[in-house]
Amino acid sequence: MASPVTDSAGLSPLIETVSWNADAVGTLSMPEAEAPMSSSVLNSCNIPKPPPLPSKIVTRNKHPKWPPGSCFVPKETKDMWDKLFKDGNGADLCIFTEDKSCIFAHSSVLSIASPVLGYRIRQSKIKHGMKYIQIPGLPHDAVLVFIRFLYSSCYEEEELKKYALHLLLLSHCCSVPQLKRVCICYLEQDFLTTENVIDTLLLARKCDAPRLVLICVRMVVKNFKSVSSTEGWKLMKRIYPDIEQELVESVVEADSKKEESQRKIEEKKVYTQLYEAMEALLHICKDGCRTIGPRDKMLKGNQIACNFPACKGLEALVRHFSGCKTRVPGGCGHCKRMWQFLELHSRMCNEPDSCKVPLCRHFKEKIQQQCKKDETKWKLLVNKVIAAKNGSYLFSSR
């Protein structure tokens, strides 16, 4: 950061408040119901009418876009306090800034607006009826914007954009939560770049702005190559090596999560394809498809499009399996794959006695003779294949 950061240790953290806006997302209506009732009952009952149904449902909106307003008081009040500050009539306090220039103010006003400044003012020395304090390390204009806000609760948007980091530091150290919220809102939404994100992150950690810290970390992780080549990163690496280590670990963790997510996507794709293959196998063996199917079915021919995406590939595999002359175990990779498809179908089928798929009942009987280790692997595969097609009908239902 270009200017040194004042140490804010010892200040109590501020509690941010979040407000939610109501939005009408619909109206409720209730159907009328008629019930037979005798006239004597109607006359004897004196039941008041129910209250009307609510016309709005409270929902939680996104965080409002900044700025919520550059002034928090009526214009007349703002003009009055701005005039008092600019004219300096009756000022009893001189605030020295970084360039040794002085800002005149009223100690009573600043003490009310900021308890921290009030304490510093009470501890200051008095010379010729004037109190003196210093706010070092920050530009004169940034301190001027801050003091003006303490008077009128107003700011200029261009000044906020220029001195947002300085104002965040001042509002935190001097305990001015209203200005702090405005600065954080702007920094979160419109300020961050790869060049200033490290400076903003370091300041947000000092100023107890956890959400701003999270947004900065996410930006660093997303643009690590660009951020790590900036001057801010090099300075942080030299002064705060522990923070640099945290960020590098966050980048490694994000990359690991991304790889794990990609692996799960590919894994689900494989299981989905297996599920589609099981559907296509049942479709071919039960109903027939184009040029292949049961002997008692009229085949539809090549011109009819099939709704099962795996049917074409599985059709070629079935044809090979029915005519393959290699019968030694593991001698033919295509046949071995077909045997695995048939066994997977058998484990997923709930009606082996009436099933049209060949060897379904045979594999059901074979399952009872398998070792516990193989049984566990097959059960895990079946569960993942079914879960990959969550929401689809079970292929075994006929």
Side-chain angles (χ1 to χ4, degrees):
M1 188 176 294
S3 59
V5 178
T6 306
D7 187 9
S8 58
L11 293 176
S12 58
L14 301 174
I15 301 176
E16 299 289 346
T17 59
V18 179
S19 61
W20 303 100
N21 295 329
D23 187 13
V25 296
T27 57
L28 298 177
S29 61
M30 182 178 294
E32 297 181 358
E34 296 181 359
M37 187 176 292
S38 63
S39 58
S40 59
V41 175
L42 287 172
N43 294 332
S44 61
C45 295
N46 187 17
I47 302 175
K49 292 183 179 180
L53 293 173
S55 59
K56 292 184 178 181
I57 300 176
V58 177
T59 59
R60 297 187 292 183
N61 286 343
K62 294 181 179 179
H63 193 271
K65 278 284 186 181
W66 96 277
S70 59
C71 189
F72 298 89
V73 296
K75 183 178 182 302
E76 294 78 8
T77 305
K78 165 185 153 325
D79 294 341
M80 179 185 69
W81 284 105
D82 276 344
K83 181 175 175 56
L84 177 64
F85 172 56
K86 291 176 181 178
D87 293 347
N89 294 329
D92 60 347
L93 175 65
C94 180
I95 304 172
F96 286 106
T97 57
E98 181 69 12
D99 58 357
K100 305 301 181 181
S101 58
C102 179
I103 300 175
F104 291 99
H106 301 80
S107 60
S108 58
V109 175
L110 301 192
S111 298
I112 295 173
S114 170
V116 176
L117 275 180
Y119 175 78
R120 289 190 60 186
I121 291 171
R122 289 192 296 272
Q123 299 296 320
S124 64
K125 295 181 180 181
I126 302 177
K127 293 182 181 180
H128 307 293
M130 184 73 71
K131 299 177 182 179
Y132 296 87
I133 63 172
Q134 289 184 349
I135 302 182
L138 297 171
H140 171 84
D141 291 343
V143 179
L144 190 67
V145 173
F146 175 70
I147 299 300
R148 182 214 171 185
F149 185 89
L150 297 183
Y151 272 81
S152 61
S153 296
C154 298
Y155 60 88
E156 300 297 331
E157 293 181 15
E158 291 302 321
E159 294 175 340
L160 176 64
K161 293 178 181 179
K162 187 176 181 180
Y163 301 112
L165 292 177
H166 307 91
L167 293 175
L168 173 61
L169 178 60
L170 283 168
S171 61
H172 173 73
C173 294
C174 297
S175 187
V176 186
Q178 194 174 31
L179 179 58
K180 181 178 179 180
R181 284 193 294 269
V182 172
C183 294
I184 290 176
C185 186
Y186 167 66
L187 292 173
E188 288 176 349
Q189 298 180 24
D190 295 297
F191 179 77
L192 293 178
T193 65
T194 55
E195 292 294 329
N196 62 30
V197 65
I198 295 298
D199 290 343
T200 307
L201 172 62
L202 296 176
L203 185 60
R205 289 170 64 101
K206 284 184 173 291
C207 294
D208 188 30
R211 190 172 64 184
L212 180 57
V213 170
L214 178 61
I215 293 174
C216 291
V217 170
R218 286 179 176 176
M219 187 171 186
V220 171
V221 170
K222 186 177 180 181
N223 307 276
F224 180 71
K225 187 174 181 180
S226 300
V227 173
S228 60
S229 62
T230 61
E231 292 299 323
W233 178 274
K234 296 174 183 177
L235 183 64
M236 177 196 66
K237 184 177 181 179
R238 186 170 67 252
I239 302 177
Y240 304 106
D242 53 332
I243 298 179
E244 184 224 5
Q245 181 64 27
E246 290 179 13
L247 292 176
V248 171
E249 290 175 357
S250 298
V251 173
V252 172
E253 182 182 359
D255 290 342
S256 300
K257 288 182 178 179
K258 186 177 180 179
E259 292 176 1
E260 178 67 14
S261 176
Q262 187 64 32
R263 185 190 66 80
K264 289 183 177 180
I265 291 173
E266 295 296 329
E267 186 179 90
K268 183 177 179 181
K269 183 179 179 180
V270 171
Y271 293 133
T272 302
Q273 290 174 347
L274 283 175
Y275 189 96
E276 292 172 350
M278 294 300 99
E279 287 183 322
L281 178 62
L282 183 63
H283 162 64
I284 291 173
C285 296
K286 181 184 176 183
D287 303 322
C289 180
R290 294 181 295 192
T291 61
I292 189 171
R295 295 181 179 180
D296 57 344
K297 294 288 183 179
M298 289 292 295
L299 301 180
K300 301 175 182 179
N302 284 321
Q303 70 276 11
I304 304 299
C306 181
N307 295 325
F308 293 88
C311 192
K312 185 176 181 180
L314 194 62
E315 179 182 340
L317 189 62
V318 171
R319 288 187 181 279
H320 169 84
F321 182 74
S322 62
C324 184
K325 303 300 181 181
T326 306
R327 296 302 180 187
V328 294
C332 177
H334 297 296
C335 291
K336 184 178 180 180
R337 186 178 302 171
M338 190 65 201
W339 283 108
Q340 292 171 340
F341 281 157
L342 293 173
E343 183 169 357
L344 178 59
H345 163 82
S346 176
R347 290 177 176 275
M348 298 176 68
C349 182
N350 296 326
E351 301 176 5
D353 294 332
S354 60
C355 183
K356 301 288 187 179
V357 178
L359 303 176
C360 182
R361 187 172 181 180
H362 166 75
F363 279 110
K364 286 286 186 184
E365 296 172 354
K366 183 182 175 182
I367 290 172
Q368 300 175 0
Q369 303 173 4
Q370 282 187 334
C371 64
K372 188 175 181 180
K373 184 178 180 180
D374 291 339
E375 180 67 16
T376 302
K377 289 181 178 179
W378 276 105
K379 282 185 178 180
L380 182 62
L381 176 62
V382 169
N383 291 336
K384 288 187 175 181
V385 169
I386 295 176
K389 201 69 174 181
N390 189 22
S392 298
Y393 65 89
L394 287 178
F395 82 101
S396 58
S397 60
R398 292 168 170 76

